[in-house]
Amino acid sequence: VICTACLGSAPAQAADWVRYTAPDRSFAVSLPMTPTVEAPKEGRLLLSTANAEDTESYVVDSMQLKGPEENIADRLFTSAIDAIVRIKKTTILSQQRHQVFGHPADDIKMRSLEGYYIWERMMVVDDHFYQFLHVTTTEEDAPARFWDSFVLRP
């Protein structure tokens, strides 16, 4: 599983962030601008932000899994990381496996050959795989406001 991020907009002021709730109300998340939403296909929903400056973007990828499987989080995390490193030619700068809302999560900071920094959080929640990407041209801290805005079944 991989989500390739388009690059886009510098973030708006915190007060200007937009709250997005999935059509099935399975999750909500805040983004610095109204996202482009791809029509859901076979249990998948993809949100992204973009602007003309090409300096920063935010992406949320939500995918329904076929069902619970043992060690699915480890396999999905490894597959997604391998794909983004191989396809986007990134170098992993840091990685932390932990729990969010009691569910397995993995936070990764990468740098691409083009000079972009990519922050990625992946989570498996029951039968859903969530991937959050923040891509920027500047080295900065993890996108806490973005990641912390995510809630399940708002």
Side-chain angles (χ1 to χ4, degrees):
V1 174
I2 186 167
C3 175
T4 54
C6 59
L7 288 177
S9 153
Q13 296 300 316
D16 296 338
W17 282 46
V18 176
R19 191 77 175 158
Y20 175 85
T21 301
D24 66 358
R25 302 199 51 79
S26 60
F27 74 91
V29 66
S30 293
L31 296 153
M33 63 180 53
T34 302
T36 299
V37 181
E38 284 189 21
K41 297 179 210 168
E42 299 177 28
R44 187 171 188 182
L45 178 66
L46 183 65
L47 315 173
S48 62
T49 62
N51 85 346
E53 284 84 27
D54 228 17
T55 59
E56 193 166 25
S57 71
Y58 292 81
V59 176
V60 178
D61 190 1
S62 166
M63 187 173 70
Q64 187 169 6
L65 304 172
K66 294 189 189 313
E69 292 181 39
E70 191 173 332
N71 298 322
I72 188 72
D74 290 334
R75 290 197 316 270
L76 283 171
F77 295 168
T78 299
S79 174
I81 293 165
D82 289 349
I84 200 164
V85 166
R86 187 180 72 256
I87 293 168
K88 291 295 199 179
K89 305 215 181 329
T90 62
T91 301
I92 296 174
L93 302 176
S94 66
Q95 182 173 3
Q96 179 188 9
R97 183 76 46 99
H98 59 106
Q99 300 262 318
V100 175
F101 309 130
H103 301 282
D106 206 357
D107 293 350
I108 305 118
K109 181 180 183 181
M110 298 169 269
R111 182 168 167 94
S112 72
L113 287 177
E114 295 87 13
Y116 293 106
Y117 291 92
I118 303 164
W119 281 97
E120 178 177 25
R121 171 172 282 177
M122 295 177 283
M123 293 176 57
V124 173
V125 178
D126 302 327
D127 65 345
H128 275 78
F129 174 70
Y130 296 99
Q131 193 172 27
F132 309 88
L133 290 120
H134 175 222
V135 182
T136 181
T137 57
T138 60
E139 186 170 15
E140 53 191 49
D141 292 335
R145 176 170 173 77
F146 174 48
W147 288 351
D148 293 348
S149 74
F150 176 77
V151 294
L152 296 167
R153 297 167 196 69

